Amino acid sequence: MSHQSDLIAEDIQAYLSQHENKQLLRLLTCGSVDDGKSTLIGRLLHDTKMIYEDHMASLKTDSAKMGTTGEKLDLALLVDGLQAEREQGITIDVAYRFFSTDKRKFIIADTPGHEQYTRNMATGASTAQLAILMIDARHGVLTQTRRHSYIASLLGIRHIVVAVNKMDLVDFSEQRFNEIKDDYLAFAAKLGLKDIRFVPMSALEGDNVVNRSENTPWFTGQPLMEILETVEVSRDKNMEHFRLPVQYVNRPNLNFRGFCGTIASGVIRPGDEVMALPSRRTSKVKDIVTFDGNLEEAYIDQAVTLTLEDEIDVSRGDMLVKVGDEPEVDNHFNANIVWMTDAPLETGRLYNIKLGPNFTSGTIKKIHHQTDVNTLEQNANPSQLALNEIGLCELTLNQPVAYDNYPGSHATGSFIVIDRLTNITVGAGMIAGQADKASSFEPVSTEERERRLAQKPAIVGCGGKQATSLALAVERALFDHGKTSVVLTEDNTGDADDRRRAAQLLSAHGLIAVAVNLGSDVASASVSADSEQEIPAAVSQLVQDLIRSKRI
């Protein structure tokens, strides 16, 4: 919804043009539970006249039925839309609201304060340029306040507004405000946050939200809305290093071949020499094509199509950069990962990795440390990361990718981790730099093989008149259960001694050996069939026993 303006009635085209060219600010509210995040957003919408009449009528009805503010309007209900949120008076999911003033457009994300919904807060923070960190004046800096501050700094949010809320409940005490300010600055110094502003307010009553409050004559700073309208964010963008992740190759006919994508950083002009990564082939930009016509230059966040003077091989997932200003190209790097699912992160397990338009797979080889976000202490070499935990991890991908460190370029330095079976996003990563090359050549351990193959090694002996057919059926059944096995017969391994040695070698390297006519002293499980009719039941029973007893 947009702000009210006389231009709407006088000249709608002029109004739309003016509105389209306003700068957009993405922000989020975060902080501990019940600090007033949703109420603040509701107050911003209310005081800037961003609420439709039917919404206001509905809000009055809902406030009477399930409000938590007595006879006053419960403005938090404007964004707490889930039934569970309204019943409990808390925020669970991330709610986005658009509004504008005559100076700027805003997309504001309302994120939950509860610890178990930290992953939702990280989701809202991933696109934000400014964070409003709510602190209850009665309780001061809490554990979740520190947690959200750390996540905000980790995700590269450069502007923090600390809103000391519910000042009406402490009689607008300047002393209390300064105590909280000093406590927070002492913690924030460890995070390297630079642009931090403090505002004493009452979101419920509207003090210092849109207009300056008479209740805080001692406060000489800006009210919240004035900060939002004037904070300088254009300088945060990386205009120096050109990066264009290729999302689509446009080939409508034989005479046109363009590479489409949104510029992640930097500026490009026709005639600039560019390099395609990871192939490192070079060419020059011929044209910058858009729907509205060709451009003389294009810059960060613009969606464009580049045509090149030479026919070089560029595909989706590749990156176009300027020659002499290349990012890292490697399959081995360190990254901070926020774990976002109940099942813990497992080192050595194969995950899908999506970095921009590039889709590949890889493993988390090692967790260097897990950060206690309450104290910023680092727990070295943990065995796993649990839900909502954050750790510095070492990743190895199955193919080289072009990347930047996250602080320098968010778009080319971030990725998501996807479970290969469920296709659920299980983690969010921010690249921290190259990994130690010396550690990448350590011998592969038995535990690493088990995690990569998702199985335990075993030797299965198959006997009877139908031993060969039985072994092939066992391999198929194991394959259908996601297990990797190899069939050993007289044809591919020779005599019984050779099969025994081959079976032991395969099992030593994490595989399941299915061997024909092997001695029972070697096999960890045995099965036999003298006719084809016996094979299905024998195989079914064997596989059930192996899985039930967790021998594979």
Side-chain angles (χ1 to χ4, degrees), residues 332-347:
H332 193 211
F333 52 80
N334 290 326
N336 289 294
I337 293 181
V338 181
W339 200 245
M340 307 172 78
T341 192
D342 293 321
L345 180 153
E346 299 177 31
T347 57

Side-chain angles (χ1 to χ4, degrees), residues 194-207:
K194 296 178 181 178
D195 184 13
I196 306 177
R197 312 182 194 201
F198 294 83
V199 181
M201 67 170 60
S202 169
L204 183 64
E205 303 294 342
D207 295 274

Side-chain angles (χ1 to χ4, degrees), residues 36-54:
K37 298 179 292 298
S38 299
T39 302
L40 173 62
I41 297 177
R43 173 59 64 183
L44 282 172
L45 297 174
H46 180 273
D47 286 7
T48 53
K49 303 196 170 36
M50 297 288 109
I51 307 175
Y52 291 115
E53 291 182 2
D54 57 335

Side-chain angles (χ1 to χ4, degrees), residues 22 33 50 54 57 74 89 97 109 121 124 132 220 245 292 301 340 390 426 449 462 471 486 505 510 540:
K22 289 179 191 172
V33 61
M50 297 288 109
D54 57 335
D74 189 350
R97 276 298 181 106
M121 184 267 165
I132 302 173
T220 58
D292 297 317
D301 292 337
M340 307 172 78
I390 302 170
V426 294
R449 289 193 179 96
C462 296
V486 179
L505 180 64
S540 177

